[in-house]
Amino acid sequence: MADNKYPSGEVFLQICKSEYENEQNRTSVIDSKANIVISLAGVFFVAITQIINLKKIFQIEIESFADALVPTLLLLTIIGSITTAFIAIIFFLKVVFTKKYKSLDAEYFYDINKLKQEVDLYSIAVSQFYIEATNVNAFFNDVRVKWYKRGLILLIISIGAFALHTCL
């Protein structure tokens, strides 16, 4: 029986593979969520722009400062709603288009000298690449989640501003 220097090297490789796959699954989940919300935000944005009735806002008779308050609020809420919805869509698009992933290069490992190594040593070498790829992918996924959260907050603000506009 061979004397293994790293008897748990294969187990470690399986753990690294599992973490790499978890990060890849996280990528898919982020993409799915962003694509769904982009569709909804796009429909909301189109709905807002179709409902705008600037004629109605500018036809209100203004005789005093108090009379100017409602048209001003109407204008500010609809502009705020459109602007924040548009920026939210840009943030969601940033989530979808920010894809810089690291994957393993199988050709690097296809080397006769490396393939002659013992299984435990080779497992440790491959594990290092899985760890590096997982860390890079986790970093970019974290950035994408930040953009997603910011877009979601802006979309909620936009919906709130639109709701206020319809109540006025």
Side-chain angles (χ1 to χ4, degrees):
M1 189 158 136
D3 181 28
N4 291 346
K5 293 182 181 180
Y6 303 101
S8 55
E10 290 182 62
V11 174
F12 183 60
L13 176 60
Q14 292 305 316
I15 292 169
C16 293
K17 271 186 186 178
S18 175
E19 287 302 311
Y20 177 81
E21 290 168 1
N22 288 342
E23 202 58 44
Q24 292 299 92
N25 290 339
R26 183 175 171 222
T27 299
S28 297
V29 168
I30 293 168
D31 284 342
S32 296
K33 286 182 176 182
N35 286 329
I36 290 169
V37 176
I38 283 174
S39 300
L40 296 174
V43 169
F44 178 68
F45 183 77
V46 170
I48 293 171
T49 56
Q50 294 299 314
I51 292 175
I52 295 175
N53 190 353
L54 293 177
K55 250 182 168 178
K56 177 184 170 190
I57 294 172
F58 291 115
Q59 285 180 346
I60 298 174
E61 295 288 328
I62 300 173
E63 295 175 9
S64 67
F65 178 75
D67 292 339
L69 191 58
V70 172
T72 304
L73 284 176
L74 284 170
L75 193 60
L76 288 176
T77 55
I78 198 66
I79 289 173
S81 185
I82 290 171
T83 304
T84 53
F86 183 72
I87 294 171
I89 290 170
I90 290 172
F91 282 5
F92 292 128
L93 288 173
K94 247 182 126 89
V95 169
V96 172
F97 292 123
T98 303
K99 288 190 179 182
K100 294 181 181 176
Y101 301 116
K102 186 165 179 88
S103 58
L104 280 100
D105 183 13
E107 288 183 19
Y108 175 81
F109 296 103
Y110 185 69
D111 180 2
I112 297 300
N113 293 328
K114 291 178 185 165
L115 292 173
K116 288 180 183 178
Q117 291 180 350
E118 292 182 30
V119 174
D120 56 344
L121 292 175
Y122 193 70
S123 295
I124 296 294
V126 173
S127 297
Q128 290 173 339
F129 283 93
Y130 271 113
I131 291 169
E132 183 182 326
T134 301
N135 289 339
V136 168
N137 295 347
F139 172 78
F140 283 110
N141 280 338
D142 290 344
V143 168
R144 295 174 71 219
V145 167
K146 286 178 187 175
W147 284 112
Y148 179 80
K149 286 180 180 179
R150 290 174 185 162
L152 211 50
I153 289 169
L154 284 174
L155 188 59
I156 290 169
I157 291 170
S158 178
I159 292 170
F162 183 69
L164 181 62
H165 174 81
T166 55
C167 291
L168 294 174

